[in-house]
Amino acid sequence: MSEHTHGLQHGLTNYGDRDFSLYLRRSFAQSMGYSRALLSKPVVGIAYTPSGFNNCHRHFPELLDAVKRGVLAAGALPIAFPTISLGEVFLSPTSLKYRNLMSIDTEEMIRAQPMDAVVLMGGCDKTVPAQLMGAVSAGRPAVMLVAGPMMTGRHRGERLGACTDCRRFWARYRAGEVAEAEISQVEGQLAVTAGTCAVMGTASTMACIAEALGLILPGSAAIPAVHADRLRAAEATGAAAVQLIGSERTADRIVNAKSVENALRALLALGGSTNAVIHLTAIAGRAGVKVSLDDLNRLSDSTPVLVNLKPVGNGYMEDFFAAGAMGALLRELKPLLHLECMTVTGETLGERLASAAAYVDRSIIAEREKPFEPQGGLVALFGNLAPKGAVLKRSAADAKLFEHEGRAVVFSSLADLAARIDDPALDVTPQDVLVLQNAGPHARACMPEAGYLPIPKKLAQRGVKDMIRISDARMSGTAYGTIVLHVTPDAASGGPLGLVRSGDRIRLSVKQRRIDLLVEDAELKARAAALKPAPMQPERGYAKLYAQEILGADEGCDFAFLRPATGLP
Ligand code: FES
């Protein structure tokens, strides 16, 4: 038998006799009805993630057929394999807890099974970062196919899309502006097709970042899930995976300091999700690249917001697709990008972008000289309340609150928030600063998207739409407001956020990039000494692994033992 290993010969099961291992593997593979001719071909594995608990991946069976025909037509054998799938709204306490588990599953199954290249099929929020983290660590040739966004629904003549409009209508319902009957009609119009959330939320942001990194086919990030072009992209992705075989275009090489900077530029120009900062930090970390919040600020100062999509603007992903999508955006950003970066097709980013865009709808994608906003959508804040940083999506915030000092109204946990936020007796005014503690990565809650604290009902009913809110939690990419997130270190790991008490003064200065607790150091030291931290100590299973290994938001909430052995600079 040949010593040259490809296809099913990769990584043989160890029985102490290589030829016997191969004979046995072929024999079992033939039980699946493959011909010997097909079994001798190179293999493209397909990390396949449909799930009854993942509505966003509902169309994956059809997409899989298209990927397979692309692989077969290009001369290789496609073999799909399952990994866990993370459907954002079906997971408790939060999908972030399981992102690293999915990345481990993906990495190990790519490495353990015989494949020459892999197609990663993902889409819903945490699935794309999990698969990219796994693929970078596995170090095999990999190309991603994203699910694509949902189409919008209709309600009384208005377009609706998950999930910015979910929040908008819910806020109006809480304020008494929308009746019970109407909110249940709206519920049926928010998510009306397969695919990921219809706005520039986390899933769409991560799809666009994957395109900026060069890990998906050009032009494929924004194709709607149900569009025929999505099937053509799937077929082309299968063919591209075959072209990757034997190449050095592995995910760990394509993700490098320069391509990560390109991705950060894209994130800022998109006015993309704050979650993407955490995920990109984790993906880059697997390749040994450090993403610092100082870098984010440096790039944010010189990257304009060019995209007009909800939650920052008006449009939906279907509009972005029709407007020219990532190709048009990256062409606008060209002078700011590292064009020499290699992409998964073997072209450099510059080669991908060499031709002019065929058509660009300027109401959705602006020219760089006429941006929607002159600076990037995200800004990092530091200060005595967030020594290792925090993130504010300034493009989705109220600029009138950017320089503000107010009284803290503190909620010590999610349960405390739920119990008191709507209490008519809550001592709160619109000028106050709402603070949520113990919702960070080290808390039992595992950093849920709870940073979008609701406006207290009694203020919402008076028409208050925004207030400064601060937490160590995350926020959905589809949400908006003057919301300071990812405060690091988090309260549960001893960060100063845990020392804030109701009545303290807090100062936010976006101009100075600071968030400060205006309390004397001596008093903070006394409070810290009196604090009795209650770290999570699960007794067994994945929860125990999570508690032992979880890193802070500044390190992408990855697990310490999954970082490269050489460590990060
Ligand atoms: Fe899957 Fe929003 S719930 S992308």
Side-chain angles (χ1 to χ4, degrees), residues 116-265:
D116 300 278
V118 63
V119 175
L120 308 161
M121 289 180 64
C124 195
D125 284 23
K126 307 303 177 293
T127 60
V128 171
Q131 291 186 316
L132 293 182
M133 291 159 73
V136 169
S137 294
R140 293 275 172 87
V143 55
M144 174 144 232
L145 173 70
V146 294
M150 292 179 198
M151 304 299 285
T152 52
R154 295 287 185 281
H155 172 70
R156 300 185 184 176
E158 186 185 354
R159 283 197 299 168
L160 297 186
C163 211
T164 305
D165 297 321
C166 319
R167 295 171 203 288
R168 184 166 57 86
F169 269 90
W170 192 253
R172 291 181 59 203
Y173 171 64
R174 278 175 56 79
E177 297 167 18
V178 166
E180 190 91 40
E182 186 177 357
I183 199 78
S184 79
Q185 287 167 4
V186 167
E187 186 183 297
Q189 292 302 317
L190 291 164
V192 293
T193 72
T196 48
C197 286
V199 299
M200 189 51 76
T202 304
S204 296
T205 305
M206 290 311 301
C208 293
I209 279 180
E211 188 163 332
L213 284 169
L215 287 166
I216 64 175
L217 294 190
S220 68
I223 305 169
V226 295
H227 198 295
D229 281 353
R230 171 73 39 213
L231 292 168
R232 280 183 275 276
E235 186 182 305
T237 302
V242 179
Q243 300 309 317
L244 275 175
I245 294 173
S247 80
E248 299 210 325
R249 299 192 299 277
T250 52
D252 57 316
R253 290 191 173 98
I254 287 177
V255 176
N256 55 48
K258 288 183 174 176
S259 65
V260 168
E261 188 167 307
N262 287 344
L264 279 168
R265 291 270 190 204

Side-chain angles (χ1 to χ4, degrees), residues 57-79:
H57 296 189
R58 192 186 88 198
H59 56 316
F60 272 25
E62 196 182 20
L63 280 186
L64 177 67
D65 284 347
V67 174
K68 282 184 168 178
R69 65 176 181 260
V71 174
L72 280 169
L77 171 61
I79 300 184

Side-chain angles (χ1 to χ4, degrees), residues 22 127 145 224 278 305 509 563:
L22 188 54
T127 60
L145 173 70
I278 291 179
V305 176
S509 172
R563 310 305 286 281

